[in-house]
Amino acid sequence: MNDTMTLAERADALEHKMMGELDAIIVKSRLFNLADGDTSTPNGAALLARNPGKHMLMGDDLLQSARHAVRAGMDEKVVMACLVHDIGVIGFIRADHGYWGAQMVAPYVDEEVSWAIRAHQALRFYPDESVGYAYPDSYIKNFGADYRPDPYIEEEYRRARDHKWYMTARMITVHDIYSFDPEVVVELEEFTDIIGRNFRQPREGLGWDSSPSAHMWRTLIRPTRYL
C-alpha cells in the first residue's frame, strides 16, 4: 500500500492481502459484482484449481463467532447479534456493513440486537481493556500506527460508548472470529432455538412483507431483476 491510495483502495488492498493469507477462498456476492455489470456466477472449480490447498469459505464457517459467544456464556441477544452481525458483508455490501446489516434485520429482531450490529462497525477500531479487547495488530500492520477512522466513525464510537447497550455491541467485537479454523464444525441447527426466539420471521417470507427493509431482501433474492 502507498500514500497515494484512497481509503477505499487501501481497504480493498488489505482485503485481498488478508484473503491471500487465509486457507479459504472468499467469493464476493453476486450483488457486489453487479456494480461492474458482472452478472456471472463464480466458477468454484476454477477458483479451487487456481488456489491449490485452499477450500471455499462457506456460510457455516461464519457460525464460529456465535459458537464462541455461546461458550463464553453470553445471553441470547449477544449470540443472535454475533450470528448476523456481518450479514451486510456476506450478502449485500461491504462499505458501512454495520449500518446496512442493522437496517436489514431491524424489523425482525430486538432493537438492542440491531443497535449492536450497527455500533460494532465503529467499536472494532477502539480497544476496551475491561473486556480484553485490544486494537487489532493487523490494523497497525496494514494501515499504520497513526491511522484514524473517519470522523463519523469516531462520533459513532463516542455515542456508543455512553449508550446503555454498549456492552452488547462490544461483545460482538470480542467474539468476532477473524481467523476461521477449517477443522471446527459448527452446524446451524445448534442455533435453531435461539433464532426462533430472537428472529421474527415474517409470515410472507423475507422480502415479501411490508417492512422498511423488505426491498433489500428482494434485491438479494432477485439481484438481476430488470424492472
Side-chain angles (χ1 to χ4, degrees), residues 51-66:
N51 297 272
K54 295 191 177 186
H55 66 279
M56 302 294 290
L57 181 64
M58 301 298 287
D60 289 350
D61 293 330
L62 303 183
L63 300 176
Q64 291 188 37
S65 176

Side-chain angles (χ1 to χ4, degrees), residues 111-112 115 159-168:
E111 183 182 359
E112 181 177 351
W115 183 91
R159 288 192 294 268
R161 192 66 184 83
D162 296 327
H163 198 278
K164 63 181 178 180
W165 293 328
Y166 164 76
M167 197 53 68
T168 304

Side-chain angles (χ1 to χ4, degrees), residues 82-97:
C82 286
L83 273 171
V84 296
H85 74 280
D86 277 347
I87 193 171
V89 172
I90 301 306
F92 201 77
I93 197 168
R94 294 184 181 276
D96 278 335
H97 74 282

Side-chain angles (χ1 to χ4, degrees), residues 5-6 9-10 56 65 68 82 95 100 138 159 170 175 191-192 198 205 210 217 220 222:
M5 298 173 69
T6 66
E9 290 171 338
R10 295 177 73 187
M56 302 294 290
S65 176
H68 200 268
C82 286
W100 284 100
S138 61
R159 288 192 294 268
R170 173 54 73 190
H175 297 289
F191 308 101
T192 299
N198 293 274
S210 59
W217 293 96
L220 288 175
R222 301 189 295 188

Side-chain angles (χ1 to χ4, degrees), residues 57-203:
L57 181 64
M58 301 298 287
D60 289 350
D61 293 330
L62 303 183
L63 300 176
Q64 291 188 37
S65 176
R67 163 81 72 76
H68 200 268
V70 168
R71 291 185 172 179
M74 296 291 102
D75 67 33
E76 289 193 356
K77 288 183 181 179
V78 172
V79 175
M80 187 69 218
C82 286
L83 273 171
V84 296
H85 74 280
D86 277 347
I87 193 171
V89 172
I90 301 306
F92 201 77
I93 197 168
R94 294 184 181 276
D96 278 335
H97 74 282
Y99 295 79
W100 284 100
Q103 185 179 359
M104 289 177 69
V105 303
Y108 315 111
V109 299
D110 188 272
E111 183 182 359
E112 181 177 351
V113 173
S114 60
W115 183 91
I117 292 170
R118 171 179 168 139
H120 97 275
Q121 177 177 327
L123 296 188
R124 297 174 304 158
F125 295 100
Y126 301 92
D128 186 336
E129 295 180 358
S130 72
V131 292
Y133 181 79
Y135 186 82
D137 290 338
S138 61
Y139 289 9
I140 298 175
K141 178 181 178 182
N142 292 288
F143 292 112
D146 297 328
Y147 171 76
R148 292 186 64 183
D150 290 333
Y152 78 94
I153 292 292
E154 294 187 348
E155 293 172 8
E156 186 79 10
Y157 167 71
R158 285 194 292 270
R159 288 192 294 268
R161 192 66 184 83
D162 296 327
H163 198 278
K164 63 181 178 180
W165 293 328
Y166 164 76
M167 197 53 68
T168 304
R170 173 54 73 190
M171 285 299 104
I172 294 177
T173 70
V174 169
H175 297 289
D176 204 356
I177 307 297
Y178 292 94
S179 179
F180 299 101
D181 184 349
E183 302 301 320
V184 173
V185 177
V186 186
E187 301 293 344
L188 180 61
E189 286 71 21
E190 295 182 30
F191 308 101
T192 299
D193 290 344
I194 291 176
I195 295 171
R197 288 190 290 268
N198 293 274
F199 193 92
R200 298 182 290 272
Q201 176 77 8
R203 182 181 65 259

